[in-house]
C-alpha cells in the first residue's frame, strides 16, 4: 500500500502516537510538536540565556510537587482510614487544589476570545526613507507574536460571529518591543476614547440577563450607534462581509490611527499601517457562519493552527499609506486624526514595506496567547503617535488594564512579553517580580553603581519624542468641525461594494434590527441609513415592514473605492481546505491523485467517507479524515465528489438527525453537504461515480462553479481556478436592489 506521509493532515494532538496500553516505563516529557514554538529563552531583563526555548517546560520523569518533591500517589487524599475524613495535613492535596482554584486570571474586557501564533517579519527596506526604525531597514528579520481576536464575546464564545476582529502584532526588535495594535476594520466606532466604556457597555450583553453573547443584534447596541452617528461608518463595515471573515488568514489588518514616522534626518511623515493577506480578503456568508457557530465554535482558531501545522503558513504584507505632515493634518479633505475615517487606497496607495509569515503555533495557550500584553505605547525609535483623541486614551488604557489582568506592573517579565533587547529600567519589586536585580542604586544620577544606567543620545538609539508644536489654545471639551461628518465615508464604503456584497449588507441590517425590541431604535437607525443611501434604507425598511424615512442631511458624494470590495479578482489558493467525498465505489487511485495535487498547491485535502479508518481497494488504501457524521460543508472551501452513494451505517434519524430517513442513495448527509456548498456558492468538483451523486440531488454539472471531468487531474485544476476567486459569485442571484441609483 502506498504511504501517505507526504501529505500533512493537521490535527495531530501530540508529538508522538500514543500506545494502546497505559505507558508505565518512566521517560522524559515529550517534546513539542513540530509546528509549535515557545517564546525565546531570554531573561526577565532581555538577556539571552543560551537555554533552549523548551527549558521552561516541565522536566523530569516523575510527578512532583511544585517544590520538586517526587510523589507516589495523586489519586487519593490522605484520610483517617479508608472511609474516614480527609486530613488537613495533606500538603499535596492542598497545593494541588489551591493551584487549581487560582488557575484563571481575569479575561480581557474586550478581545477576550483570541488565538495566537509565532512568526517572523522580514523588512523590504522600502520604509527606510521615512523611518529610522531598525526593524524596518532592508532585509532585517524580526521575530513576532500575533494575536487575533473578536471584540464583544467572552473567552467561551464562538469564533464566527459578526464582530470586529483584533489584529495585534508584537515585534521583538533589538531596539525594544514594538506593538502594532489594530483591527480588521480601518475605522472605529468613536472619535474620542472617553466614550470607549460607553460603546463597549452598549455592545456587550444586556446587564440584566447577560444575553445575547458575542452579538450586536440587540437594542442597547443599536440604541447607542443610532444616537452616536459617528459610529455609522464602522457599523456599516461590520454589517458587510468584513464582519464575518472566512479565517484569520484571509483577514486584512489596520493600525486604525494615523501615526508619525521619523527618519534619520528628523523629517516626519504621517502614515496609516495596513496588513494585506497574501490570500486576500475572504469572508463567510451569514448562513454559513450560523452553522459554523453551532458545529465548531472554535472554527477560526482551529483553522489558524491547522494551517500552520500543515505547513500552509499564513502571510501578510505590511504596507503604509503616507501623507505630508502638514499643520492641519488633513489629506484630500479627510481629517487624519479622526479614527472614524479611512483614506481610500486610490487616493493614497498602500506601499509594501515587509512580509510577515506565521510559522509556529504556541506551545501553551495560557502562557502565550492569554498572557501576551499589547500596548500602543510600546514604541521604537522612528515611530511616534499623533493627537488622535482615541489613540491618546488607548495610551493610558492599555497599560492600566495589564496591571489588573496580569497581577501587577511586572507583566513585561512574563516569557511571551519579554523584550529581546537589554533592559535596565530602574523599576523594582512589585507583584510577580522574577528578575533578581543587583546594585545598590536604582536611581540616577548615582555614584554607588558607577553611574549606571546612563542616558543615551539619539545617536545611541535613544527614543526621542517628535518636538511637535502645540498651538496656544483654550482648554475645552470639544471636537474640530471636521469630525462632524458622520455619513460620507459610510456612503463611500457602501457604494464601493459589488451588488452581491450590498445584498449581504441589507441582509445584515435587516437581521440585526429585526432582533431589536424597541420600534424607536429601529426607526432611528433607519434614519441614519437614509442619510447614507436611500436605496439601502428602503431595502432594510422593507425587510422590517417599516416605512423608509427621507434623508435629513445633505451628504457629499465621494468616488467609490474598489479596493474595499472582496469580489472581482483572483488570489493564491494555498491553505484552502478541500473535502473529497469518497466511498467503496470510488477509484482510489484518482482520490489519491487528487489529494497529492491539492497538497502540491499548498491546499489541505481531507477525505470524507461513510466511516472512519481507511478506504481500501485493489491494493490501495486511503486514510479517512472525516465521516459523513463528523463533516459539514462549512469546514471546506470546496468539495470534490468522487463517490458518496454508499450510506453510512449511522444514516438514521435516531443516530444522526442530519441523516433523516434515507430513501435510496446518496447518504442524506452527503446531500446536505453538497446542497449547502452549492447554496453558499462554493466550488464543487466531480468525476466518476460522483456524477450520479450530483444528479441524485439535482445539481447540474453545467452549473456555474461546478467542475466536471473524467479524472482527478482535470477536476482539481479547475477547482483550484474557481477557488482563486473565493466563491462562484455568479451563482448568487444578486439583485443589486440596494445599489443606489446615484451610483
Amino acid at each position: 500500500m502506498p504511504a501517505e506521509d507526504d501529505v500533512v493532515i493537521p490535527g495531530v494532538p501530540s508529538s508522538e502516537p500514543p500506545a494502546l496500553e497505559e505507558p508505565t516505563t518512566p521517560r522524559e516529557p515529550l517534546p513539542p510538536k513540530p509546528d509549535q514554538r515557545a517564546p525565546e529563552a531570554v531573561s526577565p531583563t532581555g538577556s539571552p540565556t543560551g537555554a533552549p526555548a523548551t527549558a521552561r517546560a516541565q522536566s523530569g520523569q516523575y510527578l512532583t510537587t511544585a517544590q520538586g518533591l517526587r510523589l507516589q500517589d495523586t489519586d487519593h487524599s490522605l484520610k483517617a482510614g479508608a472511609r474516614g475524613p480527609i486530613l488537613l495535613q495533606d500538603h499535596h492535596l492542598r497545593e494541588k487544589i489551591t493551584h487549581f482554584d487560582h488557575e484563571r486570571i481575569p479575561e480581557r474586557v474586550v478581545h477576550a476570545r483570541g488565538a495566537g501564533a509565532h512568526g517572523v517579519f522580514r523588512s523590504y527596506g522600502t520604509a527606510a526613507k521615512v523611518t529610522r526604525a531598525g526593524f524596518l531597514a532592508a532585509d532585517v528579520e524580526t521575530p513576532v507574536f500575533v494575536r487575533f481576536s473578536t471584540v464583544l464575546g467572552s473567552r467561551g464564545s464562538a469564533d464566527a460571529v459578526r464582530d470586529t476582529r483584533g489584529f495585534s502584532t508584537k515585534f521583538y526588535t533589538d531596539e525594544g518591543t514594538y506593538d502594532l495594535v489594530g483591527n480588521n476594520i480601518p475605522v472605529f466606532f468613536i472619535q474620542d476614547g472617553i466614550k470607549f466604556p460607553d460603546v463597549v457597555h452598549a455592545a456587550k450583553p444586556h446587564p440584566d440577563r447577560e444575553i445575547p453573547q458575542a452579538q450586536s443584534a440587540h437594542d442597547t447596541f443599536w440604541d447607542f450607534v443610532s444616537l452616536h452617528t459617528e459610529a455609522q461608518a464602522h457599523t456599516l463595515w461590520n454589517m458587510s462581509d468584513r464582519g464575518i471573515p472566512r479565517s484569520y488568514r484571509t483577514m486584512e489588518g489596520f493600525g486604525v490611527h494615523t501615526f508619525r514616522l521619523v527618519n534619520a534626518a528628523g523629517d516626519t511623515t504621517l502614515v496609516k499601517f495596513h496588513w494585506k493577506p497574501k490570500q486576500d480578503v475572504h469572508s463567510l456568508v451569514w448562513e454559513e457562519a450560523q452553522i459554523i457557530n453551532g458545529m465548531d465554535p472554535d472554527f477560526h482558531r482551529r483553522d489558524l493552527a491547522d494551517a500552520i501545522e500543515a505547513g500552509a503558513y499564513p502571510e501578510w504584507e505590511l504596507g503604509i499609506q503616507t501623507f505630508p505632515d502638514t499643520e492641519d493634518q488633513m489629506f484630500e479633505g479627510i481629517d487624519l486624526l479622526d479614527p472614524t475615517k479611512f483614506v481610500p487606497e486610490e487616493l493614497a496607495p498602500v506601499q509594501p514595506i515587509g512580509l510577515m509569515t506565521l510559522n509556529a503555533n504556541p506551545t501553551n495557550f495560557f502562557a502565550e496567547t492569554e498572557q501576551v500584553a499589547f500596548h500602543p505605547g510600546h514604541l521604537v525609535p522612528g515611530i511616534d503617535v499623533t493627537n488622535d483623541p482615541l489613540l491618546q486614551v488607548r495610551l493610558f488604557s492599555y497599560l492600566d488594564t495589564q496591571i489588573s489582568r496580569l497581577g501587577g506592573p511586572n507583566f513585561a517579565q512574563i516569557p511571551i512579553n519579554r523584550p529581546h533587547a537589554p533592559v535596565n529600567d530602574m523599576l523594582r519589586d512589585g507583584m510577580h517580580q522574577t528578575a533578581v536585580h543587583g546594585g545598590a542604586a536604582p536611581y540616577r544620577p548615582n555614584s554607588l553603581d558607577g553611574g549606571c544606567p546612563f542616558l543615551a543620545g539619539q545617536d545611541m538609539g535613544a527614543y526621542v519624542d517628535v518636538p511637535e508644536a502645540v498651538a496656544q489654545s483654550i482648554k475645552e471639551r470639544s471636537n474640530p468641525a471636521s469630525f462632524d461628518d458622520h455619513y460620507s465615508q459610510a456612503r463611500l464604503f457602501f457604494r464601493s461594494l459589488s451588488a452581491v456584497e450590498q445584498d449581504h449588507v441589507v441582509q445584515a441590517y435587516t437581521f440585526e434590527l429585526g432582533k431589536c425590541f424597541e420600534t424607536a431604535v429601529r426607526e432611528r437607525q433607519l434614519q441614519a441609513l437614509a442619510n447614507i443611501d436611500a436605496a439601502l434604507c428602503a431595502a432594510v425598511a422593507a425587510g422590517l415592514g417599516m416605512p423608509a424615512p427621507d434623508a435629513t442631511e445633505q451628504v457629499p458624494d465621494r468616488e467609490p473605492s474598489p479596493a474595499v470590495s472582496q469580489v472581482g479578482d483572483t488570489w493564491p489558493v494555498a491553505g484552502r481546505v478541500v473535502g473529497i467525498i469518497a466511498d467503496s465505489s470510488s477509484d482510489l487511485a484518482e482520490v489519491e491523485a487528487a489529494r497529492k495535487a491539492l497538497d502540491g498547491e499548498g491546499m489541505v485535502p481531507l477525505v470524507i467517507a461513510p466511516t472512519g479508518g481507511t478506504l481500501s481497494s485493489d491494493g490501495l488504501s486511503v486514510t479517512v479524515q472525516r465521516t459523513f457524521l463528523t463533516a459539514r460543508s462549512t469546514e471546506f472551501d470546496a468539495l470534490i465528489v468522487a463517490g458518496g452513494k454508499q450510506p453510512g451505517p449511522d444514516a438514521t434519524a435516531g443516530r444522526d438527525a442530519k441523516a433523516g430517513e434515507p430513501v435510496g442513495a446518496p447518504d442524506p448527509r452527503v446531500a446536505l453537504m453538497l446542497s449547502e456548498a452549492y447554496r453558499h456558492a462554493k466550488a464543487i468538483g466531480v468525476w466518476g461515480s460522483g456524477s450520479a451523486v450530483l444528479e441524485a440531488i439535482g445539481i447540474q454539472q453545467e452549473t456555474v462553479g461546478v467542475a466536471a471531468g473524467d479524472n482527478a487531474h482535470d477536476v482539481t485544476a479547475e477547482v483550484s481556478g474557481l477557488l482563486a476567486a473565493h466563491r462562484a459569485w455568479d451563482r448568487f442571484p444578486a439583485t443589486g436592489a440596494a445599489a443606489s441609483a446615484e451610483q
Side-chain angles (χ1 to χ4, degrees):
M1 295 183 184
E4 296 183 288
D5 56 7
D6 56 332
V7 178
V8 177
I9 302 300
V12 178
S14 179
S15 58
E16 182 178 294
L20 180 62
E21 302 294 333
E22 178 185 351
T24 57
T25 302
R27 59 171 295 174
E28 291 292 325
L30 294 179
K33 296 193 299 176
D35 62 289
Q36 295 177 322
R37 185 165 74 236
E40 188 170 327
V42 295
S43 76
T45 54
S47 298
T49 65
T54 55
R56 290 177 295 252
Q58 64 271 30
S59 62
Q61 302 178 15
Y62 298 97
L63 178 67
T64 73
T65 67
Q67 310 305 316
L69 175 68
R70 290 184 181 180
L71 294 168
Q72 182 183 24
D73 188 314
T74 192
D75 295 327
H76 304 93
S77 302
L78 191 63
K79 306 179 184 72
R83 299 177 64 84
I86 294 172
L87 300 179
L88 184 62
Q89 74 179 65
D90 191 343
H91 59 91
H92 173 46
L93 166 67
R94 186 173 183 185
E95 180 188 72
K96 186 176 181 180
I97 292 297
T98 299
H99 195 282
F100 171 76
D101 290 343
H102 295 270
E103 280 183 359
R104 295 293 173 262
I105 61 175
E107 66 176 37
R108 292 168 169 87
V109 177
V110 287
H111 298 280
R113 172 77 177 181
H118 295 274
V120 64
F121 175 79
R122 182 177 61 83
S123 173
Y124 300 154
T126 48
K129 60 183 179 294
V130 292
T131 179
R132 67 187 186 97
F135 81 100
L136 292 177
D139 297 323
V140 174
E141 290 197 353
T142 303
V144 298
F145 186 82
V146 177
R147 187 176 186 271
F148 305 102
S149 57
T150 54
V151 172
L152 298 181
S154 67
R155 278 194 61 197
S157 59
D159 280 347
V161 294
R162 183 179 294 281
D163 196 1
T164 305
R165 264 66 179 183
F167 191 136
S168 297
T169 308
K170 186 176 290 292
F171 296 83
Y172 301 96
T173 88
D174 59 8
E175 296 179 301
T177 300
Y178 172 59
D179 289 346
L180 180 53
V181 192
N183 289 333
N184 73 322
I185 291 176
V187 294
F188 203 67
F189 285 107
I190 53 175
Q191 295 168 325
D192 192 314
I194 198 171
K195 288 194 275 192
F196 193 70
D198 301 311
V199 66
V200 172
H201 290 165
K204 284 285 191 175
H206 291 206
D208 53 350
R209 300 187 180 188
E210 186 65 10
I211 56 174
Q213 179 64 239
Q215 297 181 55
S216 56
H218 54 87
D219 286 84
T220 58
F221 174 80
W222 289 100
D223 184 44
F224 180 88
V225 300
S226 61
L227 290 168
H228 288 74
T229 51
E230 68 197 61
Q232 290 297 318
H234 184 118
T235 303
L236 211 157
W237 278 78
N238 220 30
M239 293 303 105
S240 77
D241 292 343
R242 300 274 184 151
I244 42 175
R246 159 63 181 85
S247 68
Y248 294 133
R249 299 179 292 120
T250 58
M251 190 175 80
E252 209 164 0
F254 303 90
V256 179
H257 309 286
T258 299
F259 293 86
R260 179 177 279 111
L261 299 186
V262 189
N263 67 12
D267 302 320
T268 61
T269 305
L270 299 181
V271 302
K272 286 184 176 289
F273 289 105
H274 294 248
W275 287 112
K276 295 283 190 181
K278 295 294 272 185
Q279 291 179 284
D280 206 72
V281 187
H282 182 32
S283 296
L284 301 168
V285 296
W286 182 228
E287 185 198 29
E288 195 179 11
Q290 291 174 304
I291 295 170
I292 286 169
N293 287 332
M295 291 291 296
D296 185 6
D298 303 308
F299 183 73
H300 283 152
R301 60 170 60 177
R302 189 189 311 280
D303 175 272
L304 177 67
D306 283 356
I308 292 172
E309 184 180 357
Y313 298 143
E315 292 183 323
W316 290 261
E317 273 194 318
L318 180 62
I320 53 174
Q321 289 177 296
T322 61
F323 319 100
D325 191 358
T326 57
E327 184 176 355
D328 63 1
Q329 297 176 320
M330 301 283 290
F331 181 79
E332 298 287 345
I334 300 169
D335 193 326
L336 297 175
L337 298 189
D338 183 349
T340 67
K341 305 291 195 300
F342 77 106
V343 179
E345 294 181 29
E346 292 75 17
L347 298 179
V350 176
Q351 305 166 51
I353 63 173
L355 179 70
M356 179 173 72
T357 304
L358 298 185
N359 54 20
N361 286 311
T363 300
N364 183 279
F365 183 93
F366 177 82
E368 298 166 67
T369 308
E370 185 63 14
Q371 291 196 116
V372 67
F374 296 96
H375 176 30
H378 290 164
L379 301 166
V380 291
I383 303 178
D384 204 346
V385 299
T386 60
N387 293 336
D388 175 333
L390 177 63
L391 175 57
Q392 292 284 311
V393 176
R394 291 179 73 199
L395 293 172
F396 174 86
S397 177
Y398 277 66
L399 183 62
D400 189 51
T401 194
Q402 312 302 352
I403 295 173
S404 175
R405 286 194 63 246
L406 300 174
N410 291 310
F411 60 86
Q413 296 182 17
I414 296 170
I416 192 64
N417 297 321
R418 290 178 180 176
H420 293 188
V423 174
N424 195 344
D425 54 18
M426 295 195 303
L427 306 177
R428 293 293 185 269
D429 307 339
M431 291 286 286
H432 308 303
Q433 175 62 257
T434 59
V436 183
H437 294 103
Y443 54 85
R444 68 165 317 280
N446 73 73
S447 62
L448 297 181
D449 283 345
C452 188
F454 299 90
L455 297 179
Q458 182 170 329
D459 60 335
M460 299 299 294
Y463 187 89
V464 179
D465 297 280
V466 173
E468 180 184 9
V470 179
Q472 186 175 2
S473 58
I474 299 171
K475 182 171 63 176
E476 57 184 324
R477 295 184 184 271
S478 63
N479 279 333
S482 56
F483 279 40
D484 293 338
D485 174 13
H486 296 170
Y487 295 113
S488 67
Q489 287 227 323
R491 174 179 290 188
L492 183 160
F493 175 73
F494 179 70
R495 294 184 178 181
S496 300
L497 301 178
S498 66
V500 66
E501 290 171 301
Q502 289 185 343
D503 279 348
H504 293 171
V505 170
V506 170
Q507 176 202 43
Y509 273 109
T510 307
F511 177 89
E512 297 253 330
L513 293 173
K515 290 285 190 175
C516 293
F517 181 86
E518 297 293 347
T519 301
V521 171
R522 298 196 296 271
E523 289 178 347
R524 197 185 309 126
Q525 180 56 37
L526 285 174
Q527 183 60 69
L529 294 183
N531 291 334
I532 295 169
D533 186 277
L536 168 63
C537 178
V540 175
L544 296 174
M546 299 174 67
D550 295 326
T552 58
E553 292 194 22
Q554 294 295 319
V555 179
D557 287 325
R558 294 184 179 272
E559 284 295 315
S561 173
V564 305
S565 174
Q566 300 180 38
V567 177
D569 208 340
T570 58
W571 299 277
V573 297
R576 302 297 172 87
V577 181
V578 181
I580 304 174
I581 300 172
D583 60 17
S584 59
S585 70
S586 302
D587 183 334
L588 296 188
E590 291 289 282
V591 171
E592 184 63 14
R595 291 176 73 253
K596 290 185 176 180
L598 294 168
D599 182 72
E601 291 196 63
M603 290 185 271
V604 180
L606 300 176
V607 174
I608 312 165
T611 67
T614 59
L615 291 172
S616 300
S617 176
D618 298 328
L620 297 175
S621 179
V622 174
T623 301
V624 175
Q625 285 83 38
R626 301 290 187 271
T627 67
F628 296 167
L629 171 67
T630 61
R632 193 73 184 258
S633 69
T634 49
E635 182 179 3
F636 309 102
D637 295 291
L639 288 173
I640 291 177
V641 192
K645 293 180 64 177
Q646 172 192 347
D650 53 358
T652 66
R655 300 277 296 279
D656 184 358
K658 298 192 304 299
E661 292 297 338
V663 181
D667 188 301
R669 294 162 300 182
V670 171
L672 178 64
M673 272 192 285
L674 289 168
S675 63
E676 285 178 348
Y678 182 86
R679 194 163 65 246
H680 299 154
K682 294 182 179 180
I684 297 173
V686 61
W687 74 78
S689 61
S691 299
V693 175
L694 279 193
E695 182 180 350
I697 63 176
I699 297 178
Q700 302 300 316
Q701 295 187 25
E702 298 78 21
T703 304
V704 62
V706 176
D710 297 326
N711 56 71
H713 178 272
D714 294 343
V715 170
T716 53
E718 189 173 350
V719 166
S720 178
L722 292 168
L723 279 173
H726 295 323
R727 295 184 192 271
W729 294 108
D730 291 341
R731 196 184 296 158
F732 279 121
T735 65
S740 170
E742 301 167 4
Q743 189 172 354

